[in-house]
PDB file of all heavy atoms in Angstrom:
ATOM      1  N   LEU A   1     160.558 146.380-104.917  1.00 96.00           N
ATOM      2  CA  LEU A   1     160.840 145.086-105.522  1.00 96.00           C
ATOM      3  C   LEU A   1     162.340 144.870-105.688  1.00 96.00           C
ATOM      4  O   LEU A   1     162.858 143.791-105.412  1.00 96.00           O
ATOM      5  CB  LEU A   1     160.140 144.984-106.875  1.00 96.00           C
ATOM      6  CG  LEU A   1     158.618 144.851-106.822  1.00 96.00           C
ATOM      7  CD1 LEU A   1     158.013 145.165-108.182  1.00 96.00           C
ATOM      8  CD2 LEU A   1     158.215 143.461-106.362  1.00 96.00           C
ATOM      9  N   ALA A   2     163.043 145.901-106.123  1.00 96.00           N
ATOM     10  CA  ALA A   2     164.480 145.776-106.365  1.00 96.00           C
ATOM     11  C   ALA A   2     165.280 145.630-105.074  1.00 96.00           C
ATOM     12  O   ALA A   2     166.410 145.143-105.101  1.00 96.00           O
ATOM     13  CB  ALA A   2     164.982 146.992-107.146  1.00 96.00           C
ATOM     14  N   SER A   3     164.704 146.026-103.954  1.00 96.00           N
ATOM     15  CA  SER A   3     165.424 146.015-102.678  1.00 96.00           C
ATOM     16  C   SER A   3     165.556 144.636-102.065  1.00 96.00           C
ATOM     17  O   SER A   3     166.317 144.456-101.109  1.00 96.00           O
ATOM     18  CB  SER A   3     164.703 146.928-101.682  1.00 96.00           C
ATOM     19  OG  SER A   3     163.480 146.338-101.270  1.00 96.00           O
ATOM     20  N   GLY A   4     164.824 143.655-102.576  1.00 96.00           N
ATOM     21  CA  GLY A   4     164.809 142.336-101.959  1.00 96.00           C
ATOM     22  C   GLY A   4     163.758 142.186-100.886  1.00 96.00           C
ATOM     23  O   GLY A   4     163.734 141.180-100.169  1.00 96.00           O
ATOM     24  N   THR A   5     162.861 143.161-100.756  1.00 97.00           N
ATOM     25  CA  THR A   5     161.826 143.106 -99.731  1.00 97.00           C
ATOM     26  C   THR A   5     160.771 142.086-100.101  1.00 97.00           C
ATOM     27  O   THR A   5     160.014 142.266-101.065  1.00 97.00           O
ATOM     28  CB  THR A   5     161.169 144.490 -99.539  1.00 97.00           C
ATOM     29  OG1 THR A   5     162.167 145.439 -99.150  1.00 97.00           O
ATOM     30  CG2 THR A   5     160.085 144.436 -98.471  1.00 97.00           C
ATOM     31  N   ALA A   6     160.701 141.000 -99.334  1.00 98.00           N
ATOM     32  CA  ALA A   6     159.662 139.997 -99.543  1.00 98.00           C
ATOM     33  C   ALA A   6     158.365 140.408 -98.878  1.00 98.00           C
ATOM     34  O   ALA A   6     157.281 140.047 -99.342  1.00 98.00           O
ATOM     35  CB  ALA A   6     160.113 138.644 -98.997  1.00 98.00           C
ATOM     36  N   ALA A   7     158.457 141.167 -97.785  1.00 98.00           N
ATOM     37  CA  ALA A   7     157.256 141.635 -97.091  1.00 98.00           C
ATOM     38  C   ALA A   7     157.607 142.818 -96.222  1.00 98.00           C
ATOM     39  O   ALA A   7     158.736 142.947 -95.745  1.00 98.00           O
ATOM     40  CB  ALA A   7     156.647 140.524 -96.228  1.00 98.00           C
ATOM     41  N   THR A   8     156.628 143.692 -96.026  1.00 98.00           N
ATOM     42  CA  THR A   8     156.815 144.841 -95.159  1.00 98.00           C
ATOM     43  C   THR A   8     155.576 145.056 -94.315  1.00 98.00           C
ATOM     44  O   THR A   8     154.452 144.947 -94.815  1.00 98.00           O
ATOM     45  CB  THR A   8     157.140 146.110 -95.981  1.00 98.00           C
ATOM     46  OG1 THR A   8     157.341 147.208 -95.105  1.00 98.00           O
ATOM     47  CG2 THR A   8     156.061 146.443 -96.990  1.00 98.00           C
ATOM     48  N   ASN A   9     155.785 145.310 -93.046  1.00 98.00           N
ATOM     49  CA  ASN A   9     154.697 145.673 -92.139  1.00 98.00           C
ATOM     50  C   ASN A   9     154.323 147.118 -92.434  1.00 98.00           C
ATOM     51  O   ASN A   9     155.044 148.039 -92.066  1.00 98.00           O
ATOM     52  CB  ASN A   9     155.146 145.501 -90.690  1.00 98.00           C
ATOM     53  CG  ASN A   9     154.136 146.041 -89.688  1.00 98.00           C
ATOM     54  OD1 ASN A   9     152.954 146.177 -89.981  1.00 98.00           O
ATOM     55  ND2 ASN A   9     154.606 146.336 -88.491  1.00 98.00           N
ATOM     56  N   THR A  10     153.218 147.302 -93.126  1.00 97.00           N
ATOM     57  CA  THR A  10     152.809 148.608 -93.618  1.00 97.00           C
ATOM     58  C   THR A  10     151.858 149.259 -92.618  1.00 97.00           C
ATOM     59  O   THR A  10     150.805 148.706 -92.303  1.00 97.00           O
ATOM     60  CB  THR A  10     152.103 148.458 -94.979  1.00 97.00           C
ATOM     61  OG1 THR A  10     152.982 147.790 -95.879  1.00 97.00           O
ATOM     62  CG2 THR A  10     151.703 149.803 -95.547  1.00 97.00           C
ATOM     63  N   THR A  11     152.237 150.426 -92.117  1.00 97.00           N
ATOM     64  CA  THR A  11     151.397 151.120 -91.149  1.00 97.00           C
ATOM     65  C   THR A  11     150.129 151.616 -91.826  1.00 97.00           C
ATOM     66  O   THR A  11     150.170 152.408 -92.764  1.00 97.00           O
ATOM     67  CB  THR A  11     152.135 152.309 -90.526  1.00 97.00           C
ATOM     68  OG1 THR A  11     153.268 151.818 -89.812  1.00 97.00           O
ATOM     69  CG2 THR A  11     151.238 153.073 -89.564  1.00 97.00           C
ATOM     70  N   ILE A  12     148.992 151.132 -91.349  1.00 97.00           N
ATOM     71  CA  ILE A  12     147.697 151.620 -91.798  1.00 97.00           C
ATOM     72  C   ILE A  12     146.902 151.995 -90.554  1.00 97.00           C
ATOM     73  O   ILE A  12     147.319 151.768 -89.420  1.00 97.00           O
ATOM     74  CB  ILE A  12     146.947 150.571 -92.643  1.00 97.00           C
ATOM     75  CG1 ILE A  12     146.576 149.335 -91.794  1.00 97.00           C
ATOM     76  CG2 ILE A  12     147.778 150.137 -93.835  1.00 97.00           C
ATOM     77  CD1 ILE A  12     145.715 148.337 -92.520  1.00 97.00           C
ATOM     78  N   GLY A  13     145.738 152.576 -90.768  1.00 97.00           N
ATOM     79  CA  GLY A  13     144.869 152.884 -89.639  1.00 97.00           C
ATOM     80  C   GLY A  13     145.322 154.096 -88.850  1.00 97.00           C
ATOM     81  O   GLY A  13     146.266 154.801 -89.200  1.00 97.00           O
ATOM     82  N   TYR A  14     144.638 154.313 -87.757  1.00 97.00           N
ATOM     83  CA  TYR A  14     144.841 155.495 -86.906  1.00 97.00           C
ATOM     84  C   TYR A  14     146.176 155.411 -86.169  1.00 97.00           C
ATOM     85  O   TYR A  14     146.514 154.375 -85.591  1.00 97.00           O
ATOM     86  CB  TYR A  14     143.699 155.588 -85.901  1.00 97.00           C
ATOM     87  CG  TYR A  14     143.812 156.747 -84.941  1.00 97.00           C
ATOM     88  CD1 TYR A  14     143.352 158.005 -85.293  1.00 97.00           C
ATOM     89  CD2 TYR A  14     144.377 156.572 -83.679  1.00 97.00           C
ATOM     90  CE1 TYR A  14     143.444 159.081 -84.417  1.00 97.00           C
ATOM     91  CE2 TYR A  14     144.480 157.633 -82.798  1.00 97.00           C
ATOM     92  CZ  TYR A  14     144.010 158.886 -83.171  1.00 97.00           C
ATOM     93  OH  TYR A  14     144.111 159.943 -82.304  1.00 97.00           O
ATOM     94  N   VAL A  15     146.907 156.532 -86.183  1.00 97.00           N
ATOM     95  CA  VAL A  15     148.113 156.671 -85.362  1.00 97.00           C
ATOM     96  C   VAL A  15     147.924 157.791 -84.348  1.00 97.00           C
ATOM     97  O   VAL A  15     148.086 157.600 -83.152  1.00 97.00           O
ATOM     98  CB  VAL A  15     149.361 156.929 -86.232  1.00 97.00           C
ATOM     99  CG1 VAL A  15     150.594 157.127 -85.346  1.00 97.00           C
ATOM    100  CG2 VAL A  15     149.599 155.769 -87.190  1.00 97.00           C
ATOM    101  N   ALA A  16     147.553 158.965 -84.833  1.00 94.00           N
ATOM    102  CA  ALA A  16     147.298 160.122 -83.967  1.00 94.00           C
ATOM    103  C   ALA A  16     146.486 161.123 -84.767  1.00 94.00           C
ATOM    104  O   ALA A  16     146.463 161.079 -86.000  1.00 94.00           O
ATOM    105  CB  ALA A  16     148.605 160.749 -83.492  1.00 94.00           C
ATOM    106  N   GLY A  17     145.812 162.026 -84.060  1.00 93.00           N
ATOM    107  CA  GLY A  17     145.068 163.063 -84.751  1.00 93.00           C
ATOM    108  C   GLY A  17     143.623 163.145 -84.317  1.00 93.00           C
ATOM    109  O   GLY A  17     143.181 162.403 -83.430  1.00 93.00           O
ATOM    110  N   PRO A  18     142.843 164.039 -84.958  1.00 94.00           N
ATOM    111  CA  PRO A  18     141.467 164.288 -84.518  1.00 94.00           C
ATOM    112  C   PRO A  18     140.443 163.287 -85.040  1.00 94.00           C
ATOM    113  O   PRO A  18     139.281 163.313 -84.632  1.00 94.00           O
ATOM    114  CB  PRO A  18     141.180 165.682 -85.099  1.00 94.00           C
ATOM    115  CG  PRO A  18     142.018 165.739 -86.344  1.00 94.00           C
ATOM    116  CD  PRO A  18     143.271 164.969 -86.013  1.00 94.00           C
ATOM    117  N   GLU A  19     140.838 162.396 -85.950  1.00 95.00           N
ATOM    118  CA  GLU A  19     139.885 161.469 -86.539  1.00 95.00           C
ATOM    119  C   GLU A  19     139.365 160.469 -85.508  1.00 95.00           C
ATOM    120  O   GLU A  19     140.024 160.176 -84.510  1.00 95.00           O
ATOM    121  CB  GLU A  19     140.531 160.694 -87.700  1.00 95.00           C
ATOM    122  CG  GLU A  19     141.083 161.555 -88.820  1.00 95.00           C
ATOM    123  CD  GLU A  19     142.524 161.972 -88.577  1.00 95.00           C
ATOM    124  OE1 GLU A  19     143.051 161.664 -87.480  1.00 95.00           O
ATOM    125  OE2 GLU A  19     143.121 162.605 -89.462  1.00 95.00           O
ATOM    126  N   ASP A  20     138.183 159.922 -85.765  1.00 97.00           N
ATOM    127  CA  ASP A  20     137.690 158.828 -84.931  1.00 97.00           C
ATOM    128  C   ASP A  20     138.564 157.605 -85.204  1.00 97.00           C
ATOM    129  O   ASP A  20     138.623 157.128 -86.349  1.00 97.00           O
ATOM    130  CB  ASP A  20     136.235 158.515 -85.266  1.00 97.00           C
ATOM    131  CG  ASP A  20     135.718 157.342 -84.454  1.00 97.00           C
ATOM    132  OD1 ASP A  20     135.300 157.563 -83.306  1.00 97.00           O
ATOM    133  OD2 ASP A  20     135.764 156.204 -84.954  1.00 97.00           O
ATOM    134  N   PRO A  21     139.256 157.078 -84.195  1.00 98.00           N
ATOM    135  CA  PRO A  21     140.217 156.003 -84.451  1.00 98.00           C
ATOM    136  C   PRO A  21     139.608 154.761 -85.097  1.00 98.00           C
ATOM    137  O   PRO A  21     140.217 154.163 -85.991  1.00 98.00           O
ATOM    138  CB  PRO A  21     140.778 155.690 -83.060  1.00 98.00           C
ATOM    139  CG  PRO A  21     140.616 156.964 -82.295  1.00 98.00           C
ATOM    140  CD  PRO A  21     139.322 157.543 -82.781  1.00 98.00           C
ATOM    141  N   PHE A  22     138.405 154.377 -84.668  1.00 98.00           N
ATOM    142  CA  PHE A  22     137.801 153.157 -85.200  1.00 98.00           C
ATOM    143  C   PHE A  22     137.371 153.346 -86.648  1.00 98.00           C
ATOM    144  O   PHE A  22     137.722 152.557 -87.536  1.00 98.00           O
ATOM    145  CB  PHE A  22     136.618 152.741 -84.339  1.00 98.00           C
ATOM    146  CG  PHE A  22     135.958 151.461 -84.805  1.00 98.00           C
ATOM    147  CD1 PHE A  22     136.536 150.238 -84.531  1.00 98.00           C
ATOM    148  CD2 PHE A  22     134.763 151.497 -85.513  1.00 98.00           C
ATOM    149  CE1 PHE A  22     135.943 149.051 -84.954  1.00 98.00           C
ATOM    150  CE2 PHE A  22     134.159 150.324 -85.948  1.00 98.00           C
ATOM    151  CZ  PHE A  22     134.757 149.097 -85.673  1.00 98.00           C
ATOM    152  N   GLU A  23     136.612 154.399 -86.915  1.00 98.00           N
ATOM    153  CA  GLU A  23     136.118 154.628 -88.269  1.00 98.00           C
ATOM    154  C   GLU A  23     137.267 154.848 -89.249  1.00 98.00           C
ATOM    155  O   GLU A  23     137.246 154.333 -90.379  1.00 98.00           O
ATOM    156  CB  GLU A  23     135.166 155.822 -88.281  1.00 98.00           C
ATOM    157  CG  GLU A  23     133.861 155.566 -87.537  1.00 98.00           C
ATOM    158  CD  GLU A  23     132.913 156.743 -87.605  1.00 98.00           C
ATOM    159  OE1 GLU A  23     133.249 157.737 -88.298  1.00 98.00           O
ATOM    160  OE2 GLU A  23     131.838 156.682 -86.984  1.00 98.00           O
ATOM    161  N   TYR A  24     138.254 155.619 -88.834  1.00 97.00           N
ATOM    162  CA  TYR A  24     139.415 155.883 -89.695  1.00 97.00           C
ATOM    163  C   TYR A  24     140.123 154.574 -90.037  1.00 97.00           C
ATOM    164  O   TYR A  24     140.503 154.339 -91.192  1.00 97.00           O
ATOM    165  CB  TYR A  24     140.366 156.831 -88.980  1.00 97.00           C
ATOM    166  CG  TYR A  24     141.600 157.209 -89.775  1.00 97.00           C
ATOM    167  CD1 TYR A  24     141.648 158.387 -90.502  1.00 97.00           C
ATOM    168  CD2 TYR A  24     142.726 156.381 -89.789  1.00 97.00           C
ATOM    169  CE1 TYR A  24     142.780 158.734 -91.235  1.00 97.00           C
ATOM    170  CE2 TYR A  24     143.855 156.717 -90.521  1.00 97.00           C
ATOM    171  CZ  TYR A  24     143.877 157.897 -91.227  1.00 97.00           C
ATOM    172  OH  TYR A  24     144.992 158.231 -91.949  1.00 97.00           O
ATOM    173  N   SER A  25     140.307 153.720 -89.051  1.00 98.00           N
ATOM    174  CA  SER A  25     141.059 152.485 -89.255  1.00 98.00           C
ATOM    175  C   SER A  25     140.315 151.522 -90.171  1.00 98.00           C
ATOM    176  O   SER A  25     140.923 150.891 -91.044  1.00 98.00           O
ATOM    177  CB  SER A  25     141.361 151.823 -87.908  1.00 98.00           C
ATOM    178  OG  SER A  25     142.129 152.692 -87.102  1.00 98.00           O
ATOM    179  N   VAL A  26     139.010 151.397 -89.989  1.00 98.00           N
ATOM    180  CA  VAL A  26     138.224 150.534 -90.873  1.00 98.00           C
ATOM    181  C   VAL A  26     138.314 151.035 -92.311  1.00 98.00           C
ATOM    182  O   VAL A  26     138.508 150.256 -93.250  1.00 98.00           O
ATOM    183  CB  VAL A  26     136.757 150.463 -90.405  1.00 98.00           C
ATOM    184  CG1 VAL A  26     135.894 149.766 -91.445  1.00 98.00           C
ATOM    185  CG2 VAL A  26     136.655 149.733 -89.072  1.00 98.00           C
ATOM    186  N   ALA A  27     138.201 152.350 -92.489  1.00 97.00           N
ATOM    187  CA  ALA A  27     138.279 152.921 -93.832  1.00 97.00           C
ATOM    188  C   ALA A  27     139.642 152.686 -94.460  1.00 97.00           C
ATOM    189  O   ALA A  27     139.758 152.420 -95.668  1.00 97.00           O
ATOM    190  CB  ALA A  27     137.961 154.420 -93.784  1.00 97.00           C
ATOM    191  N   ASP A  28     140.701 152.763 -93.657  1.00 97.00           N
ATOM    192  CA  ASP A  28     142.044 152.597 -94.204  1.00 97.00           C
ATOM    193  C   ASP A  28     142.326 151.138 -94.548  1.00 97.00           C
ATOM    194  O   ASP A  28     143.042 150.854 -95.515  1.00 97.00           O
ATOM    195  CB  ASP A  28     143.088 153.130 -93.226  1.00 97.00           C
ATOM    196  CG  ASP A  28     144.340 153.645 -93.934  1.00 97.00           C
ATOM    197  OD1 ASP A  28     144.234 154.021 -95.121  1.00 97.00           O
ATOM    198  OD2 ASP A  28     145.411 153.670 -93.313  1.00 97.00           O
ATOM    199  N   VAL A  29     141.791 150.197 -93.779  1.00 97.00           N
ATOM    200  CA  VAL A  29     141.909 148.787 -94.158  1.00 97.00           C
ATOM    201  C   VAL A  29     141.283 148.573 -95.531  1.00 97.00           C
ATOM    202  O   VAL A  29     141.860 147.923 -96.413  1.00 97.00           O
ATOM    203  CB  VAL A  29     141.243 147.882 -93.110  1.00 97.00           C
ATOM    204  CG1 VAL A  29     141.154 146.446 -93.635  1.00 97.00           C
ATOM    205  CG2 VAL A  29     142.012 147.902 -91.796  1.00 97.00           C
ATOM    206  N   SER A  30     140.112 149.143 -95.723  1.00 97.00           N
ATOM    207  CA  SER A  30     139.420 149.004 -97.005  1.00 97.00           C
ATOM    208  C   SER A  30     140.235 149.636 -98.131  1.00 97.00           C
ATOM    209  O   SER A  30     140.367 149.072 -99.225  1.00 97.00           O
ATOM    210  CB  SER A  30     138.038 149.659 -96.917  1.00 97.00           C
ATOM    211  OG  SER A  30     137.371 149.601 -98.155  1.00 97.00           O
ATOM    212  N   ARG A  31     140.802 150.813 -97.867  1.00 96.00           N
ATOM    213  CA  ARG A  31     141.603 151.480 -98.894  1.00 96.00           C
ATOM    214  C   ARG A  31     142.790 150.622 -99.299  1.00 96.00           C
ATOM    215  O   ARG A  31     143.096 150.469-100.489  1.00 96.00           O
ATOM    216  CB  ARG A  31     142.087 152.842 -98.382  1.00 96.00           C
ATOM    217  CG  ARG A  31     142.865 153.644 -99.426  1.00 96.00           C
ATOM    218  CD  ARG A  31     143.253 155.010 -98.888  1.00 96.00           C
ATOM    219  NE  ARG A  31     144.364 154.952 -97.964  1.00 96.00           N
ATOM    220  CZ  ARG A  31     145.642 155.106 -98.307  1.00 96.00           C
ATOM    221  NH1 ARG A  31     145.973 155.304 -99.572  1.00 96.00           N
ATOM    222  NH2 ARG A  31     146.595 155.060 -97.407  1.00 96.00           N
ATOM    223  N   TRP A  32     143.473 150.021 -98.314  1.00 96.00           N
ATOM    224  CA  TRP A  32     144.642 149.215 -98.647  1.00 96.00           C
ATOM    225  C   TRP A  32     144.265 147.921 -99.347  1.00 96.00           C
ATOM    226  O   TRP A  32     145.013 147.423-100.190  1.00 96.00           O
ATOM    227  CB  TRP A  32     145.490 148.964 -97.398  1.00 96.00           C
ATOM    228  CG  TRP A  32     146.552 149.997 -97.327  1.00 96.00           C
ATOM    229  CD1 TRP A  32     146.527 151.178 -96.652  1.00 96.00           C
ATOM    230  CD2 TRP A  32     147.789 149.969 -98.041  1.00 96.00           C
ATOM    231  NE1 TRP A  32     147.670 151.893 -96.890  1.00 96.00           N
ATOM    232  CE2 TRP A  32     148.463 151.176 -97.730  1.00 96.00           C
ATOM    233  CE3 TRP A  32     148.397 149.071 -98.898  1.00 96.00           C
ATOM    234  CZ2 TRP A  32     149.715 151.484 -98.268  1.00 96.00           C
ATOM    235  CZ3 TRP A  32     149.643 149.367 -99.435  1.00 96.00           C
ATOM    236  CH2 TRP A  32     150.290 150.565 -99.113  1.00 96.00           C
TER     237      TRP A  32
END
């Protein structure tokens, strides 16, 4: 808030790793 950031593109969902990309991403959308 103090930085002046009005908005930030926040990385969510699958990037890399052993998880199922689709299931992981849906779950992370819900978490956020």
